[in-house]
Amino acid sequence: LAASAAPSSAAALRAAGVTAATKDPPGGRIVRDARGEPTGVFVDAAMALVDRVVPAPSDAEREAGIERAQALALAAGLTEVHEMGLDEASLAAYKRLNAAGRLHVRVYAYRSGGTPEDRTRGLEAAPDPRSPDATFHIGGLKLYADGALGSRGAALLAPYTDAPKERGLVLTPGATLEDTARRALAAGHQLAVHAIGDGANRSVLDAFEKAGCTSRGDHRFRIEHAQILAPADLPRFARLGVLASMQPTHATSDMAWVPARLGPGRVAGAYAWRSLLQQGARVVAGSDFPVEEVEPI
């Protein structure tokens, strides 16, 4: 993190109208220097302050980006990917590529559920019929319960060990998660929710349980990452039929700061693949690219 905004960041801050007086938005944090001036680093929901003034890519740029990513996936031996949180323009780009025969990796897509409008649009759309041969399939909706551990955006049940005044950021309140889960179950949509901290994971599990998830259903709701879990929540994955969609590479990506963030006690609930499997949960592993490397091995 820079101590002060670099020239390029300063230009972006001016374009976004962000100053020392700009307040942190709900679910976000503007990183500031000792004088209270923004450094140019924005955490989670605060990124929207800058994103809103970034020009949107053209249709051709979106298609070219997808094809470049497709080439990397094929080179790594991937024949199908799960594409999370697509906006309407990106969905349209995928559909055009598919119709033109230019999609050579099967794509299982989830719509973005980041805003009330996104959630309404996604839940009101008819679910795609399930087909194992579909090159492009829209499977459900993607939401975010919290942020990341490294930036202290992951929502924890207790304060961070290395920042006793912070417990992370809540990006989607529990009531919204429950309402979305209930509507998704009724409409036959799958739901994937990003949750990293033990507080966020509990909030998502609570929402799924209140909405009516059980192990007897085939709803295929999933928690993306399930990175830090309280021991009491481990059995709930199997009981509610919730998939633990985890990324093994996060253990090595985050290992430098996990002990400092969590302390020795909570580390026992981090990356708990074996514990989840022993409790009867279904664990699926992904690479989390493009945040991480594309190669799954």
Side-chain angles (χ1 to χ4, degrees), residues 218-238:
D218 189 28
H219 48 75
R220 306 191 193 190
F221 281 17
R222 57 201 269 187
I223 293 183
E224 289 300 319
H225 312 313
Q227 198 169 340
I228 314 298
L229 300 171
D233 290 325
L234 289 167
R236 301 178 72 192
F237 282 82

Side-chain angles (χ1 to χ4, degrees), residues 7-9 19 28 51 55 73 75 91-92 112 115 124 136 138 152 156 165 168 178 182 214 224 256 269:
S8 58
S9 293
T19 68
D51 287 342
L91 284 170
S112 171
T115 68
E124 289 181 350
F136 182 73
I138 302 175
R152 300 189 186 89
L156 302 180
K165 294 183 179 180
E178 180 186 346
R182 198 179 301 277
T214 72
E224 289 300 319

Side-chain angles (χ1 to χ4, degrees), residues 69-263:
Q70 173 177 252
L72 292 172
L74 289 169
L78 297 175
T79 59
E80 180 172 357
V81 300
H82 285 206
E83 172 74 289
M84 288 291 175
L86 293 174
D87 59 21
E88 291 303 307
S90 296
L91 284 170
Y94 269 111
K95 290 177 180 178
R96 288 193 300 271
L97 290 171
N98 190 35
R102 292 160 58 193
L103 205 56
H104 307 300
V105 171
R106 285 195 277 197
V107 177
Y108 197 88
Y110 279 66
R111 296 175 184 269
S112 171
T115 68
E117 295 77 19
D118 289 337
R119 291 190 289 275
T120 297
R121 185 185 301 113
L123 292 169
E124 289 181 350
D128 280 2
R130 286 185 182 171
S131 169
D133 299 320
T135 307
F136 182 73
H137 179 97
I138 302 175
L141 201 63
K142 168 73 180 294
L143 280 71
Y144 287 81
D146 66 346
L149 189 65
S151 62
R152 300 189 186 89
L156 302 180
L157 292 170
Y160 280 83
T161 300
D162 58 358
K165 294 183 179 180
E166 297 184 24
R167 292 177 61 171
L169 300 168
V170 174
L171 301 189
T172 307
T176 302
L177 292 172
E178 180 186 346
D179 176 68
T180 306
R182 198 179 301 277
R183 293 162 62 192
L185 279 174
H189 288 290
Q190 295 170 18
L191 192 60
V193 184
H194 163 118
I196 288 184
D198 53 7
N201 277 283
R202 178 167 294 178
S203 177
V204 178
L205 290 168
D206 286 348
F208 286 178
E209 184 166 19
K210 291 175 182 176
C213 289
T214 72
S215 61
R216 297 184 299 276
D218 189 28
H219 48 75
R220 306 191 193 190
F221 281 17
R222 57 201 269 187
I223 293 183
E224 289 300 319
H225 312 313
Q227 198 169 340
I228 314 298
L229 300 171
D233 290 325
L234 289 167
R236 301 178 72 192
F237 282 82
R239 190 169 75 244
L240 300 176
V242 174
L243 303 174
S245 176
M246 304 175 76
Q247 291 72 37
T249 189
H250 285 171
T252 52
S253 296
D254 289 6
M255 64 191 297
W257 54 70
V258 169
R261 297 284 190 272
L262 301 178

